Amino acid sequence: MLDYSFSFGVGLSACLICIVNIIYTFISGRTDKAQNKIFLTIYIFLAINSMNEIINGVFGANPSLVEKAAIVIPISKYVYFATHTLLCPLFFYYVSNISFVSTRFSSKRVILTALPMLITELMTLTNPLTNFVWHFDGYIYHRGKGLAFIYLAAVFYYVLAIVVLFNSWRVISRRRKKALLFFVLMVALGVVAQLVNEHLRIEVLTEVMGLSGAMVAVENEDERLYSGTTFYNRAALNLDMEGYLMHRRKLSLIVIHINNHDIINRLVDSRENNVIIDMISDYIKSVVKRYYVYVPDRATVVLSLHDEMCDKADELADSILKRFDEAWEYKDFSVMLNATVMVADVPSQIKGASDLFYMLDRIELNRDEKRVLRDDDLGFIMRKQSIEEALSRGFSENSYEVYYQPTYNLNGTLHGAEALIRIHDKELGNLYPDEFIPVAEQSGLIDDIDNFVLEDVCKFIKSGIPAKYGMSNVNVNLSVIHCMRPGFVEDTIAIVNKYGVRKKSINFEITESLAADDYEIFKNIISRLKKEGFMFSMDDYGTGYSNVNSIFSLDFDVIKIDKSILWAAEKNELGMTILENTVRMIQQMKLKIQVEGVETLEQIKLLERLKVDYLQGYYFSKPIPKNDLVKMISIEKASKG
């Protein structure tokens, strides 16, 4: 049988571990969060429990202390039970706190959850009067019937903590999961061992060892901190957001993005990443507690507002922006920080962590006169994310479709058609190029979309239908961004060669919007493809994107005059002058002219007088699916005999 010296050794070991870890917790400064306070309370209670084991060892091993033992040991046991009974409930609240379950606790739920703890604690505190839980014969301890209730309550909270842990599994980091599982197993081992053999007094030691593991992995937040700061990093923001959303916690977020961060870093000539964060750190801490602050990158800070602070989000955002209108001091520098502030509510506006990070990563793309973005501004950003998701799933769900709008010669005969991409998304409905093409260019999906359209056009030409009905070519829109990609020319030729169609039957349309430095590159691309036999049109001439220099510099076959030029010609004399001079200039350059936006017979008569070459617009047909186009042109041909 184990003697009292074993109990003394176990108690002393556990007590020393507790004292060291408590001191370390205070030294490291991890005492400000609710979970920290619960953690410290558990450690203090375990230290008290360890002293009970020391007292048992000291007095049990010394018969000369029998008289004092009859007084000291019952008091020690009373303090032991008064604190030990609270350990499992505290562990449950600790797990609930780090897994965000506590954010869902209503007042009623808090009371119901705490009821077993309150009952067992009352049993413990009143035991000197009832002897229901334990009693002493001299200084010899005997278990009472009520002890079973203490253990049942402990098991209740223990199981509840495990359930919470596994229900929140995906919002707890891997290291924390391992540490909490280690604690659960160590506690189970100690409790079962001591329940089976009350002389094997290792319960407190196993609890202390398990808690030490939790301290290393959970309370030590180094993996969650943004390097060199006391604020949380991007990974922590992701996990915490998932936790808030999983448990339907309502909160508001204020995002502060420093637009001129690159200039500031060069200005102060610092090699450190935290220049801006260091500048604003003290101010941010005066606004919210440090554990509600996240730094996803060196130029962005996210503040999370909870409970009554949510109602003050707009007011606080304006106050923050006002502070950023003033200079900031950093070492020997006084600098101005150009900030954009965003206010978003969770979960009404931010419905997932991906929504938040999409918004954070695209702040600079949405800078304008507004310095505080909220409501509709955020809706615009979120709409872009939805479109990007629709673009990504479009190929797997076959939601892309190529429409065709016919073009006509001036005499009314069929000339060709323009291929136009559409998306029929299951969530967003029908999407049109004006909205999704810019998003596709930013996200890098434009290459796949352009290739999809080109392949569809090649299949259409290969079918022989265009030639049968007199189409000389089919126009395909190209993104300048796609054209500038390495390997574009080779990939384009490979797609067309795959279907064996005449390259002259494909006319690439390009909206010219190049920087001056890219002219030579783009000119070379057009030249290489024209040598292969492809044709090129300048699209949207007259919109401000294109200019006369483009026509001279790039070897186009057709110039497409934008509909705005045609429509303006009907409104006033100046508009007519612009149209007439534009047409005359292009004709003198020996280039073909196609006019978009033809909607009335009067417009056709005007363009006949100006002797343009091709017409396109709703007067003839809107863009329609391929099968509808074939049906329409076959009817036209039949009607003309």
Side-chain angles (χ1 to χ4, degrees):
M1 181 179 291
L2 298 171
D3 59 17
Y4 287 107
S5 61
F6 177 79
S7 179
F8 176 82
V10 167
L12 183 60
S13 300
C15 188
L16 289 174
I17 294 173
C18 287
I19 292 171
V20 169
N21 286 337
I22 289 170
I23 293 172
Y24 177 75
T25 300
F26 278 103
I27 291 174
S28 62
R30 301 190 193 99
T31 58
D32 52 351
K33 298 173 66 175
Q35 73 176 61
N36 303 145
K37 292 177 173 62
I38 296 172
F39 184 83
L40 269 175
T41 303
I42 294 174
Y43 249 131
I44 291 169
F45 283 0
L46 284 173
I48 293 171
N49 293 170
S50 303
M51 292 176 188
N52 175 74
E53 297 300 333
I54 294 172
I55 290 170
N56 283 337
V58 169
F59 284 88
N62 293 278
S64 60
L65 300 175
V66 170
E67 292 184 5
K68 291 182 179 179
I71 299 173
V72 174
I73 290 181
I75 294 175
S76 171
K77 184 63 73 173
Y78 180 77
V79 174
Y80 170 85
F81 272 110
T83 54
H84 199 78
T85 301
L86 297 172
L87 288 179
C88 277
L90 285 173
F91 177 64
F92 161 70
Y93 288 119
Y94 180 72
V95 172
S96 299
N97 200 276
I98 64 175
S99 62
F100 303 96
V101 171
S102 60
T103 62
R104 295 174 56 184
F105 285 174
S106 62
S107 299
K108 183 178 180 180
R109 189 170 182 180
V110 169
I111 293 171
L112 289 174
T113 306
L115 201 57
M117 176 184 70
L118 296 174
I119 293 172
T120 52
E121 189 64 14
L122 182 63
M123 288 168 51
T124 300
L125 295 176
T126 58
N127 188 76
L129 301 176
T130 64
N131 290 328
F132 185 57
V133 180
W134 76 91
H135 68 276
F136 280 90
D137 181 9
Y139 66 92
I140 304 301
Y141 164 76
H142 297 282
R143 297 175 178 178
K145 294 180 180 179
L147 191 61
F149 291 100
I150 302 289
Y151 273 104
L152 284 174
V155 170
F156 168 75
Y157 285 109
Y158 184 74
V159 171
L160 211 57
I162 295 174
V163 170
V164 167
L165 180 61
F166 281 97
N167 283 344
S168 304
W169 197 247
R170 68 182 177 87
V171 298
I172 301 175
S173 68
R174 182 178 299 179
R175 194 172 75 166
R176 288 185 167 193
K177 290 172 187 174
K178 291 179 179 179
L180 291 171
L181 285 175
F182 174 73
F183 177 80
V184 166
L185 292 173
M186 288 298 294
V187 170
L189 175 66
V191 170
V192 171
Q194 192 161 319
L195 188 63
V196 172
N197 184 353
E198 64 179 295
H199 299 289
L200 190 65
R201 319 267 326 157
I202 63 170
E203 181 179 338
V204 171
L205 182 59
T206 56
E207 289 169 346
V208 170
M209 290 172 62
L211 201 63
S212 296
M215 185 185 76
V216 171
V218 181
E219 290 300 296
N220 181 357
E221 295 190 312
D222 289 349
E223 68 171 2
R224 286 173 53 84
L225 296 178
Y226 188 80
S227 178
T229 74
T230 58
F231 302 141
Y232 292 142
N233 57 25
R234 189 182 181 96
L237 177 58
N238 183 55
L239 278 174
D240 291 357
M241 277 298 300
E242 291 285 359
Y244 291 135
L245 289 162
M246 173 184 283
H247 299 296
R248 299 185 293 279
R249 174 71 182 270
K250 292 183 179 180
L251 66 150
S252 294
L253 299 176
I254 293 180
V255 179
I256 306 168
H257 180 77
I258 309 304
N259 300 316
N260 59 337
H261 57 93
D262 285 336
I263 297 173
I264 299 300
N265 278 280
R266 289 197 297 271
L267 176 66
V268 300
D269 192 27
S270 174
R271 296 181 181 179
E272 297 183 13
N273 290 328
N274 297 336
V275 173
I276 291 172
I277 305 304
D278 288 345
M279 277 188 209
I280 67 176
S281 176
D282 289 341
Y283 170 71
I284 294 299
K285 289 177 184 176
S286 73
V287 176
V288 295
K289 294 176 180 177
R290 67 98 193 161
Y291 48 82
Y292 289 146
V293 182
Y294 302 85
V295 182
D297 61 64
R298 64 179 184 170
T300 308
V301 176
V302 179
L303 314 181
S304 60
L305 309 180
H306 303 258
D307 305 320
E308 69 277 358
M309 287 288 286
C310 292
D311 299 329
K312 301 177 181 178
D314 288 323
E315 178 184 337
L316 193 56
D318 292 332
S319 174
I320 289 171
L321 196 57
K322 186 176 179 180
R323 172 62 185 90
F324 275 87
D325 286 334
E326 302 173 10
W328 298 82
E329 303 300 324
Y330 181 77
K331 296 182 179 178
D332 297 328
F333 296 92
S334 180
V335 298
M336 297 297 296
L337 300 179
N338 178 6
T340 295
V341 178
M342 307 176 74
V343 183
D345 295 326
V346 179
S348 59
Q349 291 175 307
I350 304 295
K351 298 181 176 8
S354 61
D355 289 352
L356 174 61
F357 289 110
Y358 186 94
M359 183 180 75
L360 293 178
D361 295 337
R362 283 155 181 81
I363 294 176
E364 292 191 68
L365 298 177
N366 293 278
R367 282 186 289 170
D368 52 23
E369 295 299 320
K370 292 185 178 181
R371 296 181 59 205
V372 177
L373 305 179
R374 50 166 73 92
D375 301 329
D376 292 342
D377 305 308
L378 300 184
F380 174 76
I381 298 174
M382 293 301 104
R383 172 70 177 178
K384 288 183 69 175
Q385 182 191 15
S386 299
I387 291 171
E388 190 171 301
E389 291 170 351
L391 291 172
S392 298
R393 62 176 172 261
F395 292 105
S396 61
E397 297 181 356
N398 297 316
S399 55
Y400 286 101
E401 183 178 8
V402 178
Y403 277 37
Y404 292 84
Q405 185 176 30
T407 61
Y408 290 82
N409 295 303
L410 195 58
N411 63 9
T413 59
L414 185 65
H415 164 253
E418 179 180 359
L420 298 161
I421 189 70
R422 298 287 187 268
I423 298 178
H424 309 297
D425 187 66
K426 63 180 182 180
E427 294 182 15
L428 301 182
N430 293 328
L431 299 175
Y432 297 93
D434 287 351
E435 184 176 29
F436 68 75
I437 289 299
V439 179
E441 289 180 332
Q442 291 171 6
S443 64
L445 293 168
I446 191 64
D447 301 7
D448 293 332
I449 292 173
D450 278 355
N451 290 340
F452 177 83
V453 174
L454 181 58
E455 291 225 19
D456 194 88
V457 168
C458 288
K459 291 175 186 176
F460 185 36
I461 295 172
K462 180 72 173 177
S463 71
I465 294 173
K468 176 182 177 182
Y469 291 101
M471 290 187 184
S472 59
N473 53 54
V474 178
N475 291 16
V476 177
N477 288 278
L478 283 180
S479 162
V480 170
I481 291 175
H482 183 198
C483 293
M484 301 297 284
R485 298 260 200 265
F488 164 75
V489 173
E490 293 77 12
D491 293 343
T492 300
I493 293 171
I495 291 173
V496 177
N497 286 341
K498 172 183 172 183
Y499 292 93
V501 301
R502 288 191 319 123
K503 297 181 177 67
K504 195 173 183 61
S505 61
I506 295 175
N507 185 341
F508 289 122
E509 291 190 16
I510 298 189
T511 300
E512 193 284 305
S513 56
L514 290 172
D517 294 342
D518 294 328
Y519 258 88
E520 287 304 315
I521 299 173
F522 197 58
K523 185 177 180 179
N524 179 56
I525 291 169
I526 291 180
S527 176
R528 290 171 63 190
L529 287 174
K530 283 185 69 68
K531 285 180 182 178
E532 292 288 328
F534 294 103
M535 297 180 65
F536 275 84
S537 294
M538 174 184 284
D539 196 11
D540 298 332
Y541 182 81
T543 59
Y545 292 108
S546 52
N547 53 59
V548 177
N549 183 58
S550 304
I551 300 176
F552 282 113
S553 302
L554 303 172
D555 188 14
F556 290 109
D557 300 287
V558 181
I559 305 301
K560 293 185 68 174
I561 296 177
D562 188 71
K563 61 188 177 184
S564 62
I565 301 291
L566 174 62
W567 294 351
E570 293 184 298
K571 294 179 181 178
N572 54 59
E573 188 175 339
L574 177 61
M576 181 64 73
T577 301
I578 293 173
L579 175 61
E580 289 174 344
N581 288 332
T582 299
V583 170
R584 188 179 302 113
M585 178 193 68
I586 298 172
Q587 287 172 338
Q588 289 173 350
M589 296 169 64
K590 310 276 192 234
L591 297 175
K592 297 291 186 180
I593 301 172
Q594 181 171 324
V595 181
E596 300 176 298
V598 179
E599 297 185 349
T600 66
L601 184 59
E602 288 72 20
Q603 290 173 339
I604 293 177
K605 291 178 179 178
L606 169 62
L607 296 171
E608 285 176 344
R609 180 171 62 82
L610 295 176
K611 297 181 181 180
V612 303
D613 300 285
Y614 314 120
L615 308 176
Q616 179 179 358
Y618 280 17
Y619 178 84
F620 305 101
S621 172
K622 63 181 181 180
I624 53 179
K626 186 192 308 177
N627 293 337
D628 292 346
L629 173 71
V630 174
K631 190 180 298 182
M632 187 191 84
I633 60 179
S634 65
I635 292 172
E636 284 182 354
K637 185 173 182 179
S639 66
K640 292 178 181 179

